[in-house]
C-alpha cells in the first residue's frame, strides 16, 4: 500500500491511525533518509497507542520504552549501532517477541535480526512534488495484525 502525505500533520495522522490499530506483538520497521519524517510518524503512532509522554528519537540509547499507553511501546533507533551484538545487550528479542508494540528506525541495518512477521514502512521524499510531500509505503510481512482503514 502506498500513501501520499503533503505535510507533517498528515504524516503524523497516518502514524496515529496505525497506532490505534496496533495489536500486542506488532513490529513495525521504519526506513527512510534523514529528515523524511520518521520521528513525526513515530510520534503519531505513539499518540495512537495512547502515549502521552513526549516521544523523541532514541539515537544515543538505542531503545526508549513507553508504558503509559494502551500497550507498551518500544521505540528503537539503530542508526548508530557499531556492531549487531549491541542489540543483544539491550534485550532486543525480549522487546520484539513480547506483548508490546515495537517500532525500529533504520531497521535495514539489522535485517538479519528482524522477525518474519512485521510491517515494513518506508518514507520517501520527492522534491519535484513539493518540499513536504512524502510517499509512505506500508507492506505487511507474515500475518497481518492491523487494519488501519482503506486508503
Amino acid at each position: 500500500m502506498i500513501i501520499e502525505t503533503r505535510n507533517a500533520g498528515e504524516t503524523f495522522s497516518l502514524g496515529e491511525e496505525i497506532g490505534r490499530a496496533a495489536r500486542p506483538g506488532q513490529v513495525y520497521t521504519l526506513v527512510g533518509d534523514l529528515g523524511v519524517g520518521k520521528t513525526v510518524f513515530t510520534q503519531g503512532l505513539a499518540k495512537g497507542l495512547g502515549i502521552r509522554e513526549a516521544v523523541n528519537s532514541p539515537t544515543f540509547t538505542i531503545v526508549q520504552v513507553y508504558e503509559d499507553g494502551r500497550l507498551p511501546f518500544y521505540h528503537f533507533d539503530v542508526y548508530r549501532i557499531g556492531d549487531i551484538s549491541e542489540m543483544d545487550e539491550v534485550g532486543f528479542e525480549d522487546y520484539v517477541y513480547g506483548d508490546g508494540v515495537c517500532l525500529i528506525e533504520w531497521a535495514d541495518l539489522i535485517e538479519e535480526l528482524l522477525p518474519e512477521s512485521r510491517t515494513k514502512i518506508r518514507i520517501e521524499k520527492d522534491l519535484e512534488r513539493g518540499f513536504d510531500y512524502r510517499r509512505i509505503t506500508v507492506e505487511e510481512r507474515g500475518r497481518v495484525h492491523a487494519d488501519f482503514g482503506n486508503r
Side-chain angles (χ1 to χ4, degrees):
M1 167 184 323
I2 296 175
I3 299 105
E4 297 177 328
T5 64
R6 289 173 174 69
N7 57 56
E10 289 181 5
T11 300
F12 181 95
S13 292
L14 175 62
E16 184 177 7
E17 187 177 346
I18 290 173
R20 280 195 307 269
R23 301 289 177 251
Q26 180 71 49
V27 175
Y28 298 96
T29 60
L30 184 56
V31 176
D33 291 336
L34 290 169
V36 297
K38 292 185 301 295
T39 300
V40 169
F41 176 89
T42 301
Q43 290 168 337
L45 191 141
K47 183 176 181 191
L49 287 169
I51 306 294
R52 288 180 238 110
E53 192 177 336
V55 172
N56 295 301
S57 188
T59 300
F60 296 103
T61 59
I62 299 178
V63 64
Q64 184 67 43
V65 176
Y66 302 92
E67 295 181 329
D68 68 337
R70 67 178 178 83
L71 294 168
F73 178 46
Y74 311 121
H75 179 200
F76 288 85
D77 183 330
V78 300
Y79 183 72
R80 297 194 190 283
I81 65 163
D83 185 285
I84 204 156
S85 66
E86 290 178 53
M87 300 309 291
D88 288 335
E89 295 169 17
V90 298
F92 181 72
E93 286 190 1
D94 293 333
Y95 293 116
V96 170
Y97 295 104
D99 291 330
V101 172
C102 287
L103 182 134
I104 307 160
E105 291 187 46
W106 300 98
D108 52 336
L109 298 175
I110 61 166
E111 183 74 31
E112 61 268 32
L113 297 180
L114 299 174
E116 181 63 30
S117 179
R118 65 185 185 265
T119 301
K120 295 172 66 174
I121 300 168
R122 175 176 298 279
I123 303 177
E124 301 169 288
K125 288 182 183 182
D126 183 345
L127 293 177
E128 290 182 10
R129 305 220 30 207
F131 182 77
D132 293 323
Y133 172 88
R134 300 294 185 266
R135 180 182 313 105
I136 303 172
T137 305
V138 179
E139 176 188 344
E140 297 283 348
R141 293 194 56 168
R143 61 191 166 105
V144 176
H145 292 272
D147 177 17
F148 52 89
N150 298 318
R151 289 189 175 260

